[in-house]
Amino acid sequence: MAQTVQTAEAEESYGLSEITVTAQRRTESVQTVPIAISAFDSNELSTRGITNALEVTQYVPNLVGINNTGLGSANSYYMRGLGNTESIPTFDPPIGTYVDDIYLSRQNANNLSLFDVERVEVLRGPQGTLFGRNTTGGAVAVFLKEASQELGGYAEAGYGAYNLWQINTSLNVPINDRLAVKVSAYVQDSDGYAKNTVTGERQNQNDGWGVRLGVKGDLSENATWTGSYIHTFADGANIANFDCNPAAPTQCDGRYVTTGLRRDGNFGGRLSGKKDNFGHFVKTTMDFISSNLKLGNDDLSVSLITGYVYTTQDYALDFSDGRSLPSINVPITPVLGLTRGGFVVANEGEFSQFSQEIKVNASIADGLLDVVGGLYYFEEDNFSDFADLLTVVSAAAPAPGGNTLLLADRTMTNSTKAYAGYLQGDLNLTDQLKLTAGVRYTDETKRFSIRDNRASCKDGTVEATCLVDSNLFVLSGRAIPRSQNIKIWTPRFAINYQANNDVLLFASATRGFKSGGWNARGTSPSELLPFDAEKAWSYETGVKSELFDRRLRVNLSAYWLDVSGLQTPSGFVRANGSIGFVTRNFADYENKGIELEVNAVPARGLNVFASFGYQDDKYKVDTTRPILDAYGVQSVGEQQRRCLAQLASGLVPGGDATACAQGIVAADGTLATPVRTPKFNLAIGGSYEADLGKGLTLVPSVNASWRDKSEVGTSNVTFYDDPVTSTGGTTYANNLLGKGPRIAGSLSKARWIANATLTLRSEAGWTLSAECRNCFDQEAVESTLANLEYINPPRTWLIKGRYSF
């Protein structure tokens, strides 16, 4: 009878799994941490079919993730409105990426393949106290599976759309009772989903491979060491492509590219260095080394955390698809198939970083005070050899050859050294009430140097247009500094109230900052302007709850984010047809929002989830600022006044109203809508484990994410099909003011993206699954660069088998 009762109780016992996180640099349940966190363990990642870091972003409220323009290996995250699409190393992202507590400073290779991963944590809001610089928007933290004392592993193989095939494998081997190693690897190859109708090649493939060696040693009762070495290679791009063939607009049955720049092409001696032989590709490697030596016990421990990351990225990217860039008269430009591309950036980059952290965790006075503190050192050295080319067509130089102009060819080095100390304490006043206070002090120095690779700038007579350190002056004669230093305190305050065993209430105030830098995309010395650090305060309150015997989890948070000196990058088309870039601290920024996450197990085997985000954001401009700043750049307030005056006089934005539709001033003279901040966003989904008997389980899983309309271009430039005439008598074929049908541009319409997986599992250790991503092949504009659209990937499918032992 006792056995019968115990069996019945076991059958009735089910609920949500507990996820432990280290968001406060110590191990805790996600439900006890006073921070807005979305956490996914390995089972949840598998159930939702998540295979890389970018796919995680679909399920996090108020987080938008995109592949950077051109770069398939690079993710740009926009969390609570803060993000950055730049990959050049004088810019830092405001969303930090971490692997096993090691910060990845560059966005070039942060679209991590999630093989052999224990969990992913997405921390929303500034994390300046415990994680430091460049986390004003939040952090994405990936934790790899540690080696263990159990012999085992798995092998997995799959085949999918666009002739994709992939193999993943992992093997865990205990060496003795104190030492274990884990070896993991993956390889994948595909044809690419976009067809180049000019060259016949396939583009936007997803090729690459990676290996990882993980080691764990239990050196003694109070000493543990874990270490990892990872090497990855990615050959993947996010080249601009179109759902209808630009050369035959009625052909809309795939994705199309029309540049004449080939993957095996070159620039015929026009560029210096090895980048002259780059074709239309993006190739990225990363070597990652981590070491964590932990000494002590639960009451007092010291961790020595060491990291080294070396990344290379070589590419040549045609940002105008082998033709002219869009304009108000010709928003859809004719196909030219230029053999050296339309507007091309060729880049050779090497980026190395080293970090050392000493972290102390302590519990004092029998748990009255819990403390985490430490010292942190970070050093980074970067090398970039890059050039900009523009091909123009004339009667004397017709397509497809044209006349290729070298706009700039330069080599840049930049470095960062940062020292920091941090301390945070949790005062457990009662079993229910906890007060938290912490602070971090950072001292950071950045340096920048540039030299011109063009022959005329290396013949002993430096021309005024040469991109060299001695020419770094603006037109007023003011020198552009080649070093920056910031010393800053970033505190955090929080209060927790555990209403009962199931409900936690919290409120917090946190400060963060993002480093300054230089506008290194400039093609003349006066454009290489510095910009200052971005600083943020976030005020947040929320509730975390687990109800009905842990069968329902509801987490709700509300925040107010106040940012000063927002770093705003903007791309524009110069008079010669090339793309110009400028980044300044143009404005302040405010974002107020709500985030809700629900997870439930209403019946045995049935798991459902939903997340919801709302945000209301805006730029804030001080209209009393001087007309020109110290470097001669016009203030936004003055630009807005000029734009409104031009519109009042009957000039046309995008045409002769030159102050409009530039920077963060929209075509109608208002401040632009901040990018990638849909007012509403939603994700829903679920899975069900059906017992088929004989050791077999069938698991169908479906999920979908909805994103409200949003702007994806800084100036909010969208072309509409209705002509407009200026008071000067010029008639423009289209307009930027919303009159007529939409043609192309920054406005991204609301869209649903649905995914599904069907998995058959056996107790014998094998698994078969079939999945689709973007199952209904929905298209959405993810980004624009100089008004050229970049859209999301098409529908894909994958069938794979796995055997675990």
Side-chain angles (χ1 to χ4, degrees):
M1 291 178 59
Q3 290 176 344
T4 301
V5 170
Q6 291 173 355
T7 301
E9 289 177 347
E11 290 178 351
E12 288 299 317
S13 176
Y14 59 87
L16 294 163
S17 61
E18 183 176 358
I19 300 178
T20 58
V21 297
T22 54
Q24 295 194 117
R25 309 302 307 278
R26 62 174 178 263
T27 301
E28 302 169 284
S29 168
V30 69
Q31 291 301 105
T32 64
V33 179
I35 298 172
I37 307 173
S38 300
F40 308 88
D41 62 15
S42 57
N43 290 332
E44 191 68 16
L45 294 171
S46 176
T47 298
R48 301 192 192 188
I50 297 172
T51 60
N52 60 56
L54 183 60
E55 293 173 348
V56 174
T57 63
Q58 297 182 56
Y59 309 105
V60 180
N62 291 341
L63 172 60
V64 173
I66 62 170
N67 261 155
N68 208 343
T69 50
L71 306 176
S73 63
N75 291 345
S76 291
Y77 301 120
Y78 279 74
M79 189 141 30
R80 296 181 176 178
L82 297 184
N84 185 1
T85 57
E86 262 294 358
S87 58
I88 197 167
T90 55
F91 296 80
D92 290 318
I95 312 299
T97 298
Y98 295 80
V99 177
D100 285 349
D101 285 329
I102 306 300
Y103 171 60
L104 302 184
S105 62
R106 299 294 108 223
Q107 290 190 140
N108 306 69
N110 67 348
N111 190 17
L112 303 168
S113 180
L114 299 181
F115 74 106
D116 214 25
V117 166
E118 178 66 31
R119 70 183 186 280
V120 177
E121 301 175 17
V122 180
L123 285 60
R124 307 192 296 275
Q127 308 296 321
T129 302
L130 295 180
F131 289 85
R133 53 198 285 276
N134 302 333
T135 56
T136 47
V140 177
V142 176
F143 294 90
L144 305 175
K145 289 184 177 179
E146 294 182 352
S148 68
Q149 288 297 317
E150 182 177 354
L151 177 65
Y154 72 87
E156 181 180 85
Y159 179 80
Y162 306 105
N163 202 27
L164 168 69
W165 60 268
Q166 60 180 215
I167 299 174
N168 303 325
T169 185
S170 180
L171 177 64
N172 188 90
V173 180
I175 304 302
N176 53 44
D177 58 357
R178 291 188 176 273
L179 180 66
V181 299
K182 176 183 283 286
V183 180
S184 309
Y186 76 92
V187 60
Q188 60 190 34
D189 185 83
S190 69
D191 289 343
Y193 62 77
K195 180 180 180 180
N196 190 321
T197 61
V198 174
T199 66
E201 298 174 320
R202 306 292 301 192
Q203 286 285 13
N204 290 354
Q205 70 281 3
N206 185 20
D207 301 344
W209 60 274
V211 294
R212 180 207 172 201
L213 173 65
V215 183
K216 182 176 182 180
D218 295 315
L219 307 181
S220 69
E221 184 178 348
N222 294 315
T224 302
W225 176 73
T226 57
S228 280
Y229 169 71
I230 302 173
H231 177 83
T232 62
F233 168 76
D235 181 2
N238 180 32
I239 293 167
N241 59 97
F242 308 90
D243 56 343
C244 294
N245 183 358
T250 60
Q251 185 181 359
C252 301
D253 57 350
R255 294 294 182 86
Y256 300 93
V257 177
T258 64
T259 181
L261 182 61
R262 301 182 59 87
R263 277 182 55 84
D264 59 354
N266 63 75
F267 298 100
R270 290 168 176 80
L271 305 181
S272 67
K274 72 175 188 178
K275 64 183 183 293
D276 186 62
N277 292 313
F278 288 175
H280 204 195
F281 60 70
V282 182
K283 297 181 179 180
T284 308
T285 68
M286 182 178 71
D287 289 281
F288 173 94
I289 300 172
S290 68
S291 171
N292 189 335
L293 176 62
K294 182 178 179 181
L295 307 172
N297 52 38
D298 291 341
D299 293 329
L300 177 63
S301 66
V302 178
S303 298
L304 306 177
I305 305 170
T306 308
Y308 174 77
V309 184
Y310 176 74
T311 305
T312 70
Q313 187 165 70
D314 296 339
Y315 64 79
L317 289 169
D318 182 2
F319 289 103
S320 64
D321 193 43
R323 45 191 165 137
S324 302
L325 288 161
S327 67
I328 190 171
N329 275 323
V330 190
I332 305 295
T333 57
V335 172
L336 297 175
L338 298 173
T339 55
R340 286 181 292 276
F343 177 77
V344 174
V345 175
N347 182 98
E348 175 194 355
E350 298 182 21
F351 321 105
S352 66
Q353 64 169 79
F354 170 80
S355 61
Q356 179 63 60
E357 182 175 10
I358 303 173
K359 179 172 70 77
V360 178
N361 291 84
S363 181
I364 302 171
D366 197 25
L368 176 64
L369 180 65
D370 295 319
V371 174
V372 57
L375 300 173
Y376 182 78
Y377 172 75
F378 176 85
E379 180 177 349
E380 180 180 21
D381 292 289
N382 301 312
F383 166 88
S384 300
D385 184 354
F386 58 116
D388 301 355
L389 304 100
L390 174 70
T391 299
V392 295
V393 174
S394 65
N403 181 26
T404 301
L405 307 176
L406 180 60
L407 304 177
D409 188 348
R410 62 283 206 203
T411 297
M412 179 186 72
T413 58
N414 66 292
S415 65
T416 302
K417 286 188 178 181
Y419 305 84
Y422 62 92
L423 181 66
Q424 177 172 295
D426 293 335
L427 182 61
N428 301 294
L429 294 177
T430 69
D431 291 340
Q432 293 178 294
L433 184 62
K434 178 187 297 185
L435 301 179
T436 299
V439 68
R440 188 185 192 102
Y441 175 74
T442 302
D443 184 344
E444 175 193 84
T445 300
K446 289 189 166 185
R447 290 185 168 83
F448 165 83
S449 181
I450 194 166
R451 71 173 187 268
D452 205 308
N453 296 326
R454 292 173 291 186
S456 62
C457 295
K458 297 192 296 183
D459 60 3
T461 58
V462 178
E463 303 168 12
T465 58
C466 293
L467 295 167
V468 295
D469 293 343
S470 59
N471 275 354
L472 295 186
F473 293 88
V474 294
L475 298 179
S476 66
R478 181 185 178 96
I480 296 173
R482 294 194 296 113
S483 66
Q484 299 184 34
N485 176 260
I486 184 171
K487 299 176 181 179
I488 189 170
W489 296 88
T490 49
R492 170 176 169 78
F493 308 97
I495 181 171
N496 285 26
Y497 180 69
Q498 192 78 45
N500 54 47
N501 290 336
D502 298 324
V503 178
L504 171 72
L505 306 175
F506 70 90
S508 66
T510 311
R511 192 186 193 200
F513 86 99
K514 174 188 170 187
S515 300
W518 287 266
N519 184 47
R521 293 287 186 194
T523 57
S524 66
S526 61
E527 293 180 346
L528 304 179
L529 298 177
F531 47 86
D532 295 329
E534 179 180 286
K535 303 170 186 176
W537 270 101
S538 179
Y539 309 94
E540 188 167 335
T541 185
V543 56
K544 295 187 173 185
S545 62
E546 285 190 336
L547 309 172
F548 306 115
D549 197 20
R550 217 166 69 188
R551 296 178 188 178
L552 175 65
R553 181 179 297 152
V554 180
N555 294 340
L556 175 68
S557 61
Y559 66 87
W560 173 33
L561 177 65
D562 188 16
V563 181
S564 61
L566 181 73
Q567 297 170 11
T568 309
S570 178
F572 59 94
V573 182
R574 293 190 175 96
N576 64 5
S578 66
I579 301 178
F581 300 91
V582 61
T583 294
R584 303 291 293 155
N585 304 91
F586 280 124
D588 297 334
Y589 176 77
E590 180 182 283
N591 189 330
K592 293 175 286 186
I594 297 171
E595 295 162 349
L596 172 68
E597 292 182 294
V598 179
N599 290 268
V601 184
R604 175 178 296 279
L606 177 61
N607 286 263
V608 295
F609 73 87
S611 67
F612 168 80
Y614 165 80
Q615 51 190 335
D616 179 12
D617 68 332
K618 63 182 179 180
Y619 294 122
K620 299 189 299 181
V621 172
D622 181 359
T623 58
T624 65
R625 284 185 177 181
I627 293 175
L628 300 177
D629 68 12
Y631 296 98
V633 177
Q634 180 180 247
S635 71
V636 173
E638 176 60 19
Q639 180 190 348
Q640 194 175 15
R641 286 189 288 271
R642 288 183 56 212
C643 172
L644 291 171
Q646 291 172 350
L647 294 175
S649 67
L651 301 184
V652 174
D656 46 14
T658 55
C660 305
Q662 299 283 354
I664 61 170
V665 176
D668 62 357
T670 63
L671 288 179
T673 300
V675 297
R676 300 182 184 88
T677 53
K679 187 171 288 290
F680 298 100
N681 55 92
L682 172 70
I684 56 175
S687 64
Y688 180 68
E689 297 184 7
D691 187 355
L692 303 181
K694 298 183 179 181
L696 298 177
T697 304
L698 186 66
V699 185
S701 173
V702 295
N703 60 77
S705 62
W706 179 80
R707 187 188 300 166
D708 201 357
K709 65 180 181 180
S710 63
E711 296 286 347
V712 299
T714 309
S715 306
N716 298 174
V717 172
T718 295
F719 302 106
Y720 296 90
D721 188 10
D722 192 20
V724 61
T725 301
S726 167
T727 53
T730 303
T731 297
Y732 298 93
N734 306 283
N735 72 89
L736 309 182
L737 296 174
K739 299 176 181 178
R742 180 190 182 278
I743 301 174
S746 169
L747 180 61
S748 180
K749 297 180 181 180
R751 89 295 185 271
W752 280 98
I753 299 293
N755 310 300
T757 304
L758 183 64
T759 303
L760 180 64
R761 292 201 305 253
S762 166
E763 291 180 351
W766 57 263
T767 301
L768 296 175
S769 65
E771 65 181 52
C772 66
R773 313 290 299 176
N774 190 9
C775 300
F776 299 110
D777 203 20
Q778 293 296 301
E779 295 157 3
V781 178
E782 299 284 357
S783 185
T784 63
L785 183 61
N787 307 325
L788 187 71
E789 293 180 344
Y790 284 74
I791 58 179
N792 63 317
R795 173 178 52 233
T796 60
W797 56 268
L798 177 67
I799 298 174
K800 59 185 178 181
R802 176 181 176 124
Y803 178 70
S804 301
F805 55 91

